[in-house]
Amino acid sequence: MRQIKLTEETKKDILTTLLKRSPSQYPEYEKTVSEILNNVRNNGDKAVFEYTEKFDGYKYDENTIRVTEKEINEAYNNYDKELIAIMEKAFNNIKEYHEKQKQNSWISTKEDGTLLGVKVSAIEKAGVYVPGGKAAYPSSTLMCVIPALVAGVERIVMVTPANKEGKVADCTLVAAKICGVNEIYKVGGAQAIAALAYGTETIPKVDKIVGPGNIFVALAKKAVFGHVSIDSVAGPSEILVIADDTANPRYVAADLLSQAEHDQLASAILLTTSKELADKVSAEVDIFLKELSRTEIIEKSLENYGYIILCDSIDDAIDAANEIASEHLEILTKNPYETMTKIKNAGAIFLGEYSSEPLGDYFAGPNHVLPTNGTAKFFSPLSVDAFIKKTSIISYSKDALKEIHTDIERFALSEGLSAHANSIKVRFE
């Protein structure tokens, strides 16, 4: 891996390079996505079936596009029982973690007859996009569905592409069954997002769409935002490791490569104060590249977005990490908990040498749908909050309003809104 010295100039160059991976940087695809969205919006099922045949190579109609209960059960019955048991353990861990995020409605009252509060309620329909093109991700099914279940969403609609034989990956169907989801449609890409956003004769319109996908999915989600809610516009995966001379170089190298294998746009960065560690990590990377299965993808990822950055101090490394605001941040320092207190921006933080990033991807409990491309500065991981909405509650007695009615009237008139003022005034004429 390339090694560079951390300076203001190199930090700026890296940030510029990483931001080029954002879905917003691919305007050449936006026209295609817009055409797909408009076609599905205007022609419903007909457009969805045509795009599915064109892109996925299988011809559907309104009777075959939905996964049947028989298909789900066959996938479950034929699947590796040990893997099912592992998924069920992961389900329980993820559910237990997200149940701690639940919020309750509340009411506050005063003796003068004032009542204020918040009513917390779940959205009615959620759409979950599960990738299924180059690879299947049952973990994404668990991570997207479970927060919706915990929030109390009544109807969860899943969309995922099938293969050319019209079959959805068994692992995805098994994960869906474990979550109790049985409304699954065999459609992917921008057309799937359009179907969820606008509704078709077969696929229902939802209130919110969540889940990762390729550039077409990301741009489609961005385009329909406002018509429906979305979780985020996700970019390629990324990992950043802060390490000092106490870190195990083999562990660091393995963790960097765990994200580099996702795709050629993935980013893997090490910030370290130790030149010795940097050299050893680079050597371990070379060793692993001879052993791992997705070497071509990893090499391209590291060539474009892989860095070992030498820092004068841990504080300099922390400042750089806060600027990069990585999706995944591992801290492998002498006192990782102390280092963590200075981190302001990260999607998920992994502390210590036995908390490698895949622990969060599959099993620990926190959600793996995380902000990317620096958006951890203002976005959070997918959570139960994403599937609830809050409604304000306001109730005043006559005596309570009487005390303040002239204040409200004057405030309204200062904005030139006499009807606002009059709405209060008429009650005390």
Side-chain angles (χ1 to χ4, degrees):
M1 287 180 68
R2 85 190 92 178
Q3 295 186 29
I4 61 173
K5 186 82 171 67
L6 179 65
T7 65
E8 284 302 317
E9 185 177 349
T10 57
K11 182 166 67 174
K12 183 179 178 180
D13 289 344
I14 290 169
L15 288 170
T16 301
T17 300
L18 293 179
L19 287 173
K20 289 178 182 177
R21 305 174 312 131
S22 167
S24 300
Q25 300 300 312
Y26 293 85
E28 66 269 26
Y29 298 122
E30 289 181 347
K31 182 180 178 182
T32 300
V33 169
S34 179
E35 289 173 354
I36 292 172
L37 295 178
N38 288 330
N39 193 2
V40 173
R41 187 173 193 174
N42 294 327
N43 298 299
D45 277 351
K46 180 175 181 292
V48 170
F49 300 153
E50 288 173 353
Y51 286 126
T52 303
E53 183 176 6
K54 177 180 179 181
F55 297 131
D56 297 336
Y58 193 81
K59 190 170 184 178
Y60 295 104
D61 59 32
E62 64 275 7
N63 298 313
T64 57
I65 196 165
R66 180 168 175 172
V67 177
T68 65
E69 187 176 351
K70 180 182 177 183
E71 288 175 290
I72 296 173
N73 289 334
E74 283 181 352
Y76 187 87
N77 293 333
N78 294 331
Y79 203 64
D80 186 304
K81 297 301 179 284
E82 288 186 7
L83 279 174
I84 290 176
I86 291 170
M87 280 193 206
E88 288 173 342
K89 288 180 184 177
F91 173 89
N92 291 330
N93 290 345
I94 298 164
K95 186 169 182 284
E96 181 181 355
Y97 178 88
H98 285 79
E99 282 176 341
K100 293 180 173 65
Q101 300 173 345
K102 291 178 71 172
Q103 298 184 44
N104 297 314
S105 302
W106 58 267
I107 294 289
S108 175
T109 60
K110 295 181 180 179
E111 290 182 1
D112 64 2
T114 303
L115 183 151
L116 301 173
V118 168
K119 183 179 184 295
V120 177
S121 53
I123 62 174
E124 293 180 19
K125 291 176 286 187
V128 173
Y129 187 94
V130 178
K134 295 180 180 178
Y137 297 99
S139 59
S140 292
T141 304
L142 299 176
M143 293 292 182
C144 291
V145 171
I146 291 171
L149 290 175
V150 173
V153 176
E154 294 179 5
R155 188 175 183 182
I156 299 173
V157 181
M158 184 186 296
V159 291
T160 186
N163 62 20
K164 292 183 178 180
E165 287 72 46
K167 183 176 172 56
V168 172
D170 283 352
C171 58
T172 299
L173 296 183
V174 169
K177 184 174 176 66
I178 290 171
C179 292
V181 174
N182 57 21
E183 187 170 0
I184 307 167
Y185 297 94
K186 302 173 184 179
V187 55
Q191 61 273 23
I193 302 301
L196 291 174
Y198 306 126
T200 72
E201 297 89 333
T202 302
I203 301 172
K205 179 188 182 307
V206 299
D207 302 310
K208 182 157 191 168
I209 302 171
V210 303
N214 63 19
I215 184 66
F216 294 98
V217 171
L219 290 175
K221 286 171 67 178
K222 178 183 175 184
V224 301
F225 176 64
H227 191 78
V228 293
S229 179
I230 63 170
D231 51 352
S232 65
V233 180
S237 188
E238 53 201 29
I239 186 171
L240 188 149
V241 179
I242 298 177
D244 60 18
D245 56 3
T246 67
N248 184 316
R250 188 165 175 81
Y251 295 171
V252 174
D255 294 353
L256 291 171
L257 299 183
S258 74
Q259 293 308 294
E261 77 169 343
H262 268 295
D263 63 58
Q264 296 178 0
L265 294 176
S267 166
I269 298 173
L270 167 62
L271 294 165
T272 183
T273 53
S274 170
K275 179 68 166 71
E276 182 181 358
L277 178 75
D279 292 339
K280 288 181 177 179
V281 168
S282 186
E284 291 289 351
V285 165
D286 292 339
I287 293 169
F288 278 128
L289 285 175
K290 298 174 183 177
E291 304 171 358
L292 298 172
S293 59
R294 295 166 66 89
T295 301
E296 188 175 338
I297 292 173
I298 293 172
E299 287 179 335
K300 199 69 176 177
S301 167
L302 295 181
E303 179 185 335
N304 293 326
Y305 306 106
Y307 300 91
I308 295 176
I309 304 172
L310 294 166
C311 309
D312 290 333
S313 68
I314 285 294
D315 283 341
D316 287 343
I318 291 168
D319 288 342
N322 282 326
E323 280 294 310
I324 294 169
S326 184
E327 177 187 20
H328 306 101
L329 171 63
E330 288 190 12
I331 301 178
L332 300 172
T333 58
K334 185 176 182 180
N335 190 339
Y337 299 96
E338 181 182 349
T339 305
M340 178 195 67
T341 63
K342 300 176 183 178
I343 296 297
K344 299 176 182 177
N345 306 316
I349 301 174
F350 301 79
L351 301 172
E353 63 181 4
Y354 294 103
S355 305
S356 60
E357 187 280 333
L359 176 65
D361 271 352
Y362 297 108
F363 212 76
N367 210 287
H368 80 196
V369 180
L370 302 167
T372 58
N373 278 108
T375 60
K377 291 180 179 179
F378 45 83
F379 280 144
S380 304
L382 186 66
S383 70
V384 172
D385 292 350
F387 298 96
I388 63 169
K389 51 195 177 68
K390 300 176 181 178
T391 305
S392 301
I393 298 172
I394 303 165
S395 176
Y396 268 54
S397 67
K398 182 177 181 179
D399 289 343
L401 184 61
K402 186 176 181 179
E403 289 292 317
I404 60 168
H405 77 94
T406 56
D407 293 339
I408 301 171
E409 292 165 26
R410 289 190 64 184
F411 209 151
L413 290 172
S414 75
E415 294 187 345
L417 300 175
S418 59
H420 279 63
N422 186 60
S423 175
I424 299 292
K425 181 182 177 182
V426 296
R427 285 164 167 77
F428 297 98
E429 289 177 340

